[in-house]
Amino acid sequence: MSQSFSEETHRNLLSRIPQCTGREVVDWLRTVDEGPALFRFEEKVSWLRGEHQLAYGHAKAIIHEHDLRRAARKLL
């Protein structure tokens, strides 16, 4: 997984996603769940950008958050 920004930057990007996209983060996470079964981080980011015209930073933040939440579910 490619993460090149800080946790604070990640949280700031997530907080701006609803305002910039008109959709809540949980809606985007559901979109990723329902999307194609891509394996690589950058493939998922590229899919979100191309399919939903998201900015690179927002797409990357959504995929990173999706991966974090998926990992947390596996730990439970």
Side-chain angles (χ1 to χ4, degrees):
M1 176 173 53
S2 171
Q3 155 101 27
S4 61
F5 44 67
S6 70
E7 187 62 28
E8 180 181 359
T9 300
H10 175 67
R11 293 287 157 218
N12 287 335
L13 280 167
L14 285 180
S15 72
R16 288 193 300 263
I17 286 173
Q19 171 186 344
C20 295
T21 68
R23 292 176 62 186
E24 295 295 322
V25 172
V26 293
D27 294 333
W28 285 114
L29 297 175
R30 191 174 311 114
T31 297
V32 173
D33 281 336
E34 295 169 355
L38 302 170
F39 293 103
R40 292 181 45 234
F41 184 87
E42 287 298 329
E43 288 176 325
K44 295 174 189 177
V45 171
S46 293
W47 173 75
L48 266 184
R49 292 184 71 209
E51 189 73 21
H52 299 283
Q53 293 73 47
L54 289 177
Y56 178 75
H58 290 146
K60 189 172 178 178
I62 290 166
I63 297 302
H64 181 60
E65 186 67 17
H66 183 268
D67 288 351
L68 287 174
R69 290 182 186 199
R70 186 180 68 219
R73 284 191 305 261
K74 286 182 180 181
L75 292 176
L76 297 177

